[in-house]
Amino acid sequence: MHSTQSQQSPARASNSIAPELSIVVPTYNERANVGELVRKLDRVLADIRWEVIFVDDNSPDKTFETVKQIAHSDPRVRCIHRIGRRGLSGACIEGILSSAAPTVAVMDADLQHDESILPKMYRAIKDGADLVIGTRYAGEDASSQGLSPIRQWGSNQATNLARKFLRIDVSDPMSGFFMIPRARVDAVAGKLSDEGFKILLDIIASTPTRLKTVEIPYHFRQRVAGESKLDTLVTAEYLGLLFSKLSGGFLPIRFLMFLIVGATGIAVHLAVLQTALHAFGMAFPSAQLTATLVAMAWNFVLNNQLTYRDRRLKGIKFVIGMATFYLVCSLGTFANVGAASWLVQFEPNQILAGLAGAILGAVFNYAASSVLTWHK
Ligand code: GDD
Ligand code: MN
C-alpha cells in the first residue's frame, strides 16, 4: 500500500536523491568532533547516498550550532536539537524515527567508532542481514583500549548476563555502533526504553524473532577531543534494563535500579549496626537509628548517582534532596510497619506479612521520591 502511494506521488522524481542510509549520531558536548566526523563520512561513503542526523541534547558547548553551520553548506547534514531532554537511547530512537531512509546506522560522534567499516556494514545489509554490529571484541586485533579496565570488566559481565538471561549471543550487545533496516526499529519502537544507553540490546531483546546478525570487528579508537559521558556506573543501569526485559517490560528500569540500590542499603545498614554495637558499644536503639540514617544517606547518594543519573542533584539541591529523601523514607517506614502489623492479624505467616510491608514501603519510597526528590 505504501509503495502504491509513493509510485503515484509527484515526489517520485526526487527519489534518486533521497538518502539510502541515515547515520544517526547522538551528541553531547562534541563540538570539536562533528566537523571531522562529517569529513570522514564524506570520504568513506562515496558510493552510497547518505545523510547524517545529529541528535543533540542542547549541549552546553553548543554542538547544535556547529552542526547547523555545517548543514548550511551540506544538505546531507541534519540536526535534531532537543531541549529539556537528556539520554543516549532516547536520542538514538528519535533520530532513527525521524529518518525516511530504508537503512539506518547509529554511531558515536567522538571518532572512537571506525567509520571505514560503514561500507562493509551496508553491504551486509544489502546481502540480507537484519542487523550489523560493529564489534570491539571479535577478530584478531580485538581492542578495547578506549575503556578503563574496570569498565571493561563490567562490560564483559554485562555481556555474559545478556547471553545467559536474554539468550542474546552477539559478542558486543553494548555496542553503540550498528546498522539495521529502519523497518526493524519501527516494528519495536513502542517497546523501546528511552532511558539509559543500551539501545542495541533493547532492540535485540524487544524483537520477538531472531535477527539475522552479522558482526564486523573494528579497532575502538581513543577519544581525542571532549570527554566520555558514560562511566563505570552505566553497567548498573544495564542490569536494570536486563531485569526490566526479563519481567517482560512490566517493571520499569528505574524501579529495579531503586531496588538494587535498596538491597545494597540493607548490607550497609547491617554493617553499620554491627560496628556501632560492637566497636562503639552503643545501645541497640541508638545503634539501629545510626544504621538507618547512614543507610538512607547511602541510598540517596547511590540513587542520585545511578537511578537518577539523568536528573542528578548537585550543590544546594543535593542537600534539599537528601532532606526530602529522609522524609519520604520515614513515611515509607510507617507505611511498611503499619501495613505489615495490620496484615499479620489475618496472615499467620509473619514472614509473608513482613515481606508485603517491605514491598509496600519500597513502592511508596520509589513513587514518592520520584515526585518529591528527583522530580523533572
Ligand atoms: N544526545 C545525547 N544525549 N548524546 C549523548 C548523551 C546524551 O545524554 N550521552 C552521550 N551522548 C553521545 C556522546 O556525545 C557520544 O557521541 C556518544 O553518545 C557516546 O558517548 P561517550 O560518552 O563517548 O561513550 P563512551 O565512549 O564512554 O562509551 C562507549 O561504550 C559504550 C558501551 O560501553 C561507546 O562506544 C558507546 O556507544 C557504547 O554504548
Ligand atoms: Mn566515546
Side-chain angles (χ1 to χ4, degrees), residues 171-183:
S171 53
D172 190 4
M174 319 252 280
S175 174
F177 190 19
F178 60 93
M179 197 181 282
I180 188 167
R182 186 173 45 81

Side-chain angles (χ1 to χ4, degrees), residues 15-73:
N15 272 353
S16 58
I17 55 161
E20 306 164 280
L21 170 67
S22 288
I23 297 144
V24 173
V25 181
T27 57
Y28 197 77
N29 287 344
E30 304 287 1
R31 171 179 207 129
N33 291 316
V34 290
E36 181 60 19
L37 180 64
V38 173
R39 277 191 294 277
K40 283 183 184 289
L41 291 176
D42 183 52
R43 233 172 285 147
V44 86
L45 292 174
D47 303 328
I48 302 168
R49 281 197 315 277
W50 58 276
E51 68 176 346
V52 58
I53 304 168
F54 289 95
V55 189
D56 187 69
D57 288 353
N58 205 24
S59 296
D61 80 348
K62 299 205 171 14
T63 306
F64 51 90
E65 276 182 1
T66 311
V67 172
K68 285 182 186 185
Q69 259 163 28
I70 305 171
H72 224 75
S73 56

